[in-house]
Amino acid sequence: MFGFLRRTRLPLIAPLRSIDWNGDTLTLVLDADADADAEVTLDIDGCFFSPFTFDEKGRATLSIPFSPAGQPVFHVLPRVRRNGAELVAQPLRATQGIRGLVAAPAVVPALSQSTLPACCVPFGVELAAVDMAIVVPVYNAPAMVAACLDAVLAQTRGRARLIIIDDASTDAGIAPLLARYDGIERVEVLRNAENLGFTGTANRGIAHAGRADVVLLNADTEVGPQWLAGLRRAAYADDEIATATAVSDNAGAFSVPELEQANETPAAWSGIDCARASWQHAGMAYPQLPTGNGFCLYIRRSVIDAVGVLDEAAFPQGYGEENDFCQRASALGLRHVIAGNVWVRHARSMSFGDERRHLLGRAGMDVLRERWPRYEADVGATLLSFERRVLDWRVRRLYSSASAANRARMRVLWVGAGAPDWPDAEVWNLRANGARNELVCDERIIATNTWEAADPEPSYRALWNWLQIYAIEWLVVGERKQSAAEILCGLLDIPIAIVQPTAPSAIEALRAAESDTASFPERRA
């Protein structure tokens, strides 16, 4: 049965007796005398992907419904333990939908989006019309607060307001710090007369936001490029989605690439680099959990209308309030997704410290267990979904190859001839080739569709999805023409800038550009 392994000189290594790929499932069988508790894991394309669970007969299966790499071909390598001894002489090549394994070439397939599932915002939804309010409860830790607020001002575009609420901080540095933000356009600084706790302060922000959607953002976070656009797209990918939560280096079940850990980021990359790399490569499969996480949580206003606000009586200091809120939404048939392409740095425990945080967490969990007996089982059933494993694996791969030379650059789209050549941006070009539209980057055709004058909508739908899947940040044009690309970018709230393509860099071109984007003004010194 495994003659192809012998022909290609790839003997299996004990305790592995056989390995088989049927096109969507990998099956391993161990020797009869193998340790029943043997830990066997799988690398895909040179990075840890998942452990195997063996039955009493030493047999394990792993369903791989789509290629984690985003293209049909990927390499598999079973090991004894993570990073342990290999169980085949060299990696084996699998092809999605095709039975059998063969010796893998040395070159590892690049990450791609071509066959990766993507939950795009439905065609024609006007995201640009969605009002949003970013609510940041503040209590002490002025250095962290300053980093958080400066990042929000620098990285936020679209119809957003920033609501900062000082919860009666005791640190004397908070008042002069927040005074520097008071009066900035679309920024409001509120002050609690007495300490309300995190949940009460968050509820004040939710009420003050009026009819806007709300993002709850901890003051010990730092957001990156496209953070708000990514959260909003995830939240509006389906009418049944109630909340969308970012991922982080340090946010418990929302940590990547390793769950429940404080993850080190690549030394060669800044937080901006990690955020942009995730935006471009982590994918839009949006794994689900029965909860979101209030460190960076997008909530649709319609959900607040349906289930009410956070329960400040039961969870006055936080730690459980968002879980309870999400369970109330789930009871109405709504869902909660992880926006895996939105990466946010998170320090944790700056206001309370580790010990008190753990005590509050235990108290909150006691309430959750009483109110929602199935909550923990539902978390366990979804925490390690295939989509989540793919997300973690893609981030792991990004980090493993990170260097100063491969920092992700912003992606801009140019339509037609005369595309600029800028060293600090990936310039993607939408061009016509007869009846075929081609999306091109670095002279490579990334995607195509056929234009039909009698029925142009399929072509428009394809472009709508490309703008999202390929993480376009700006549409740059020489002049406004009300083209299909401009109309679709307007609906998706992708900023459009009139630029000089002869400018020496994208940054200089955008600084000098006429743009329709809404962004926060510079903070006063």
Side-chain angles (χ1 to χ4, degrees), residues 100-439:
L101 298 164
V102 297
V107 177
V108 173
L111 287 178
S112 169
Q113 306 285 68
S114 61
T115 65
L116 205 64
C119 302
C120 293
V121 175
F123 180 68
V125 171
E126 190 177 3
L127 285 186
V130 175
D131 287 320
M132 298 171 291
I134 305 157
V135 175
V136 183
V138 169
Y139 183 76
N140 293 338
M144 285 286 181
V145 172
C148 171
L149 299 180
D150 287 348
V152 170
L153 295 186
Q155 301 297 339
T156 304
R157 298 188 179 92
R159 293 168 57 109
R161 298 152 54 202
L162 174 59
I163 301 171
I164 308 163
I165 309 177
D166 176 15
D167 191 20
S169 293
T170 58
D171 190 313
I174 287 293
L177 169 67
L178 297 187
R180 290 153 48 185
Y181 301 89
D182 220 343
I184 295 177
E185 184 181 352
R186 293 185 293 114
V187 177
E188 299 173 85
V189 179
L190 309 179
R191 295 168 177 86
N192 293 340
E194 59 183 22
N195 185 271
L196 300 182
F198 178 87
T199 310
T201 302
N203 278 342
R204 184 183 180 190
I206 290 170
H208 194 79
R211 298 304 306 156
D213 290 356
V214 171
V215 180
L216 297 179
L217 184 67
N218 279 11
D220 56 3
T221 60
E222 290 182 55
V223 300
Q226 305 302 308
W227 78 282
L228 189 55
L231 286 173
R232 181 174 52 178
R233 288 184 193 174
Y236 280 85
D238 190 280
D239 288 341
E240 293 182 351
I241 295 175
T243 71
T245 302
V247 295
S248 177
D249 57 333
N250 187 18
F254 295 82
S255 297
V256 292
E258 311 304 332
L259 286 165
E260 303 291 352
Q261 293 185 29
N263 288 268
E264 290 189 9
T265 54
W269 283 4
S270 67
I272 298 294
D273 296 327
C274 292
R276 182 165 274 126
S278 296
W279 172 248
Q280 294 177 358
H281 298 292
M284 297 165 53
Y286 301 149
Q288 294 185 47
L289 279 176
T291 186
N293 187 311
F295 90 97
C296 185
L297 178 68
Y298 190 109
I299 309 172
R300 293 173 63 157
R301 176 57 61 171
S302 59
V303 180
I304 298 170
D305 293 341
V307 306
V309 295
L310 306 174
D311 187 342
E312 57 192 272
F315 308 95
Q317 297 299 336
Y319 297 94
E321 81 290 350
E322 76 270 59
N323 314 75
D324 176 72
F325 175 89
C326 290
Q327 285 291 282
R328 284 185 271 144
S330 296
L332 298 179
L334 300 175
R335 299 183 289 119
H336 311 283
V337 299
I338 302 172
N341 57 347
V342 178
W343 185 93
V344 174
R345 189 184 295 281
H346 187 211
R348 301 186 84 178
S349 303
M350 290 298 103
S351 295
F352 293 128
D354 286 331
E355 183 177 353
R356 190 177 177 203
R357 179 169 64 86
H358 290 311
L359 290 173
L360 290 169
R362 286 199 295 270
M365 185 55 66
D366 288 342
V367 177
L368 289 172
R369 288 186 180 117
E370 181 178 353
R371 289 185 177 181
W372 310 103
R374 288 193 50 81
Y375 172 72
E376 289 176 288
D378 289 343
V379 170
T382 55
L383 187 59
L384 295 176
S385 66
F386 183 77
E387 291 79 9
R388 178 56 193 269
R389 290 189 189 276
V390 170
L391 165 60
D392 291 339
W393 176 85
R394 289 178 74 89
V395 174
R396 209 172 281 129
R397 271 204 62 183
L398 289 171
Y399 286 5
S400 69
S401 62
S403 69
N406 70 353
R407 293 190 178 102
R409 296 172 292 161
M410 79 170 94
R411 288 181 177 174
V412 302
L413 178 67
W414 179 274
V415 180
D421 182 15
W422 290 325
D424 58 340
E426 283 187 13
V427 180
W428 291 53
N429 187 202
L430 181 65
R431 68 189 186 191
N433 184 0
R436 189 170 73 166
N437 289 325
E438 298 175 340
L439 185 65

